[in-house]
Amino acid sequence: MFDFLFSSQALIALGQVIMIDLVLAGDNAIVIGLAAAGLPKDQRNKAILVGILAATVLRIVFAIFTTQLLQILGLLLVGGILLLWVCWKMWRELRNGQHDEDALEAIANEDSNKDGRIGGGAPRKTFMQAATQIVVADVSMSLDNVLAVAGAAHAHIEVLIIGLILSVALMGLAASFIAKLLHRHRWIAYVGLLIILYVALEMIWKGAHEVWPHVAASL
């Protein structure tokens, strides 16, 4: 089971997987916090709890079907393109960082900027609007997380299993802590972003080579 520890390629893949899990769990938590920030306190806490539980369950479901998902022709290519979009979105968030404060206030349930409000800069919304935003984000980011882990694992089944278990554990148990950690030490998020970008480009390259023979045959 642990023979992969003696392989440098597997250890590099494991390091990439751990960083991907950290960054995407933190980013997912920030998205949940931002969607919930415009709600009253009682609804905000409920929305955050529902969001984190939904993201955890979705990661478990996608993880169970990872092998089958990767056998779908073109999904590797589509997954790489989705990860590129995630990279672009994360880059913009890291560059401006404007919404992080509201999201982190909502997650921590504290007025960190001392303006007398929690998530006060976020636009007001209904619980249904917030829940819809959270579910859509959870589906997209959970699928991206599982595909990124699978792409970074490079067919090392042990690394894939560890990565998927870690993804579920981090989202279910430590998402809020990780979000605050990434906000405080932004260099971690930048390193993770570079790794996700590398994995995305590699998935697009491999996915394109899988799809091209079928495209060429139909021409």
Side-chain angles (χ1 to χ4, degrees), residues 36-173:
L39 295 172
K41 181 180 178 180
D42 57 332
Q43 293 184 351
R44 183 172 63 242
N45 294 338
K46 187 189 302 182
I48 290 171
L49 178 61
V50 168
I52 290 178
L53 287 176
T56 304
V57 171
L58 284 166
R59 276 163 167 75
I60 293 172
V61 171
F62 287 139
I64 291 171
F65 297 103
T66 299
T67 305
Q68 291 89 335
L69 284 172
L70 292 177
Q71 289 176 351
I72 299 174
L73 181 65
L75 188 61
L76 197 63
L77 176 61
V78 173
I81 293 171
L82 282 173
L83 279 183
L84 271 186
W85 177 78
V86 170
C87 288
W88 170 244
K89 182 173 68 70
M90 287 176 63
W91 168 254
R92 289 194 307 169
E93 290 171 359
L94 286 170
R95 291 282 290 178
N96 60 52
Q98 291 177 350
H99 70 273
D100 280 10
E101 199 68 48
D102 289 328
L104 291 171
E105 281 190 352
I107 292 170
N109 196 29
E110 61 184 28
D111 181 16
S112 57
N113 61 8
K114 309 302 180 187
D115 66 350
R117 300 176 298 174
I118 295 177
R124 302 298 98 181
K125 64 189 70 171
T126 65
F127 183 83
M128 186 57 65
Q129 288 174 326
T132 301
Q133 290 177 8
I134 288 170
V135 169
V136 171
D138 279 349
V139 170
S140 174
M141 298 189 73
S142 296
L143 180 59
D144 282 336
N145 196 163
V146 170
L147 290 176
V149 167
H154 295 295
H156 296 288
I157 188 64
E158 299 94 342
V159 174
L160 176 59
I161 292 170
I162 291 172
L164 294 175
I165 292 173
L166 184 62
S167 168
V168 172
L170 289 177
M171 196 64 232
L173 302 175

